Amino acid sequence: MEPVAVGLVGAGPWAEMAHAPMLARGPHTRLAGVWARRPEAAGRFGAPVFERVEELFDACEAVAFCVPPAVQAEIGVRAARAGKALLLEKPLADSLEAAERLAGAVAEAGVASQMVLTMRYATQTRIFLARCAEIEAFGGHAANISGALLGDHHFATPWRLERGALLDVGPHVIDMLDAALGRVTGVRAHGHPLGWTGLLLEHENGAVSEVSLCMTAVGDLPPSSFAVYGRTGNAVLLPFDDDPLENVAAEFAETVRNGGGHPLDAAHGLRLQRIIAEAEAQLAP
């Protein structure tokens, strides 16, 4: 089967580390071209570079995004209206209103979409979630603590430095607990977005979970952790060293060919954005 031709929007460090090699290596996808605000940065990926994003749309059947959330929200609407399937980064947008516009454009155009919530594609994650489904889970906790916003770290980008851990790693953590314990129906938040953020999540089946997030910690820090407890046992997400991006590309190609239907679609990204917006409103300014 012919690989899906995917155009890439963005040419920053994460595009270089993840999206460009993922799409170029095949066999499910091929990198059809790149558009970036700095064309000189896009040239290092070994694919055609387009001066106008509309020219990129003409050269592909799907578009992958590796840009700040505000840019994804803007160009994603244009790509959906051009009839292109979308491979979207988290968060969906920089605001709830922009996320609603993007998800609405995807639904109106009827195009396929899929979110790159990376951890959800790992084999160990799927083993963990299968175990969670067996134990009558009633509670859990998660922590994602790093120093990624300090110094000259490549993730210390302007939007992250402004909005902090909740908007950046929050989608990963909330999504995981949502999958493990049931749909999140409520959130209570405390702390500071650029310091320590704590969340209490309420799930539709009565389960509750607690989250700790920070991207300004120093020293030798533990890896992120997820643990779920149930009436018949418990489940812990073990570290993994496989490459989840291989599954991202394979599943996105299938999503494009099927015309949609992936559970981690733009509508799911919008639901996560609503939870985050509710939490952000409760945090100290």
Side-chain angles (χ1 to χ4, degrees):
M1 188 176 293
E2 278 292 312
V4 173
V6 185
L8 178 59
V9 172
W14 188 235
E16 183 177 16
M17 293 166 57
H19 285 61
M22 170 186 73
L23 297 170
R25 75 168 62 102
H28 306 285
T29 59
R30 68 175 179 87
L31 184 58
V34 184
W35 177 88
R37 289 181 170 176
R38 294 184 300 114
E40 66 276 11
R44 66 184 185 273
F45 299 150
V49 176
F50 295 92
E51 293 187 4
R52 298 175 58 250
V53 73
E54 289 80 10
E55 295 173 343
L56 176 68
F57 297 164
D58 290 340
C60 65
E61 52 192 306
V63 181
F65 292 85
C66 199
V67 287
V71 181
Q72 174 170 274
E74 173 197 346
I75 300 179
V77 169
R78 293 159 66 184
R81 290 173 177 168
K84 305 303 173 183
L86 308 182
L87 184 62
L88 298 158
E89 263 294 345
K90 58 77 206 165
L92 192 60
D94 61 325
S95 69
L96 180 55
E97 294 76 16
E100 289 171 340
R101 284 194 298 272
L102 177 51
V106 169
E108 183 177 354
V111 296
S113 63
Q114 186 174 317
M115 299 288 296
V116 185
L117 291 159
T118 321
M119 290 191 297
R120 287 286 298 278
Y121 297 88
T123 301
Q124 287 292 349
T125 296
R126 289 169 176 177
I127 294 170
F128 167 73
L129 293 177
R131 173 64 177 161
C132 291
E134 297 172 347
I135 62 174
E136 300 180 33
F138 57 77
H141 61 74
N144 191 309
I145 313 300
S146 76
L149 297 187
L150 300 176
D152 58 356
H153 195 284
H154 56 261
F155 284 139
T157 55
W159 72 269
R160 291 183 175 92
L161 292 170
E162 177 185 357
R163 300 289 288 277
L166 181 55
L167 192 64
D168 184 22
V169 298
H172 285 304
V173 178
I174 295 168
D175 169 67
M176 185 71 74
L177 291 171
D178 185 88
L181 286 161
R183 193 179 183 94
V184 174
T185 57
V187 59
R188 282 176 275 172
H190 62 94
H192 193 285
L194 297 180
W196 190 275
T197 299
L199 305 177
L200 176 65
L201 302 177
E202 300 168 353
H203 301 262
E204 64 181 356
N205 58 0
V208 293
S209 60
E210 297 161 312
V211 175
S212 297
L213 304 172
C214 181
M215 296 176 71
T216 53
V218 298
D220 187 14
L221 300 169
S224 61
S225 62
F226 294 85
V228 169
Y229 302 89
R231 293 173 181 84
T232 63
N234 62 79
V236 176
L237 179 58
L238 298 175
F240 52 85
D241 56 9
D242 60 331
D243 183 5
L245 294 177
E246 292 185 10
N247 289 335
V248 173
E251 292 184 23
F252 183 57
E254 184 177 359
T255 298
V256 173
R257 292 179 181 123
N258 292 341
H262 198 280
L264 304 180
D265 60 5
H268 181 73
L270 175 58
R271 190 162 66 81
L272 296 177
Q273 192 102 27
R274 286 175 173 147
I275 297 166
I276 289 167
E278 184 178 350
E280 281 189 317
Q282 300 173 40
L283 294 178

